[in-house]
Amino acid sequence: MLYVYLFGAIVGGVVLAASLVAGHGHDGGAGHDAGDGHGGDHHGGGGAAALLFSLRLWTYLLAFGGATGLVLRLALGTSEPLTAILAAGVGATAGGVAHTVMKRMTGQIGGTIRTDQLVGRTGRLLLPVGKTSSGTVRILVANQAVDLIATTQDDADLAARDEVLVVEVKDGTAVVTRSPLAEKENR
């Protein structure tokens, strides 16, 4: 079982570190859920199925459960059935809490701006975006600059510094299109 704990701690730790470095708490942040890649549930509502398929749950379960198992076995010399039960409990608790906290944070960005306040606003792309690549958009709301990951359904790629219209914000990711005002100016 020692190798199982080691595997869990390494894999979970690497995924957790990568999500923190990449700034993917953007579903609020910090890790992803398998549902749609942005922390939402693709299983209809919340519930056990959404939690079971949550990448965030499995990341935290592996990282914290594996680390707990290693500490209990190597540092404290705890016997095996008890170590497995405690490691699983700590990992499941960490995963469940992380999933719940991030789920409750969905719908707010920066703690003060709700995602529904962003729909219909124009912003400027900081990084280009295309159908197959994500970029970054900056939107000014209530004298605050909000930077979001941006995607588009437009056929043509959108360049950095293009003005775009926010069509939808889903789990912290803005779906944008070329701003109709910018199109009129280019004609």
Side-chain angles (χ1 to χ4, degrees), residues 113-136:
I113 297 174
R114 294 185 326 272
T115 56
D116 63 343
Q117 292 176 293
L118 303 174
V119 176
R121 294 195 178 262
T122 57
R124 189 141 326 260
L125 288 176
L126 302 176
L127 296 173
V129 64
K131 264 193 167 179
T132 60
S133 62
S134 297
T136 305

Side-chain angles (χ1 to χ4, degrees), residues 59-158:
T59 299
Y60 279 78
L61 184 118
L62 287 171
F64 287 91
T68 300
L70 285 174
V71 168
L72 289 173
R73 285 295 283 155
L74 297 176
L76 301 176
T78 308
S79 64
E80 198 39 61
L82 181 58
T83 299
I85 292 167
L86 291 173
V90 167
T93 301
V97 168
H99 180 81
T100 302
V101 167
M102 296 310 289
K103 193 116 179 100
R104 288 190 179 165
M105 287 174 48
T106 301
Q108 288 197 344
I109 297 171
T112 58
I113 297 174
R114 294 185 326 272
T115 56
D116 63 343
Q117 292 176 293
L118 303 174
V119 176
R121 294 195 178 262
T122 57
R124 189 141 326 260
L125 288 176
L126 302 176
L127 296 173
V129 64
K131 264 193 167 179
T132 60
S133 62
S134 297
T136 305
V137 63
R138 176 166 289 162
I139 307 158
L140 294 176
V141 182
N143 295 325
Q144 258 185 293
V146 177
D147 294 348
L148 296 175
I149 293 175
T151 62
T152 188
Q153 297 300 315
D154 290 3
D155 290 326
D157 289 351
L158 303 172

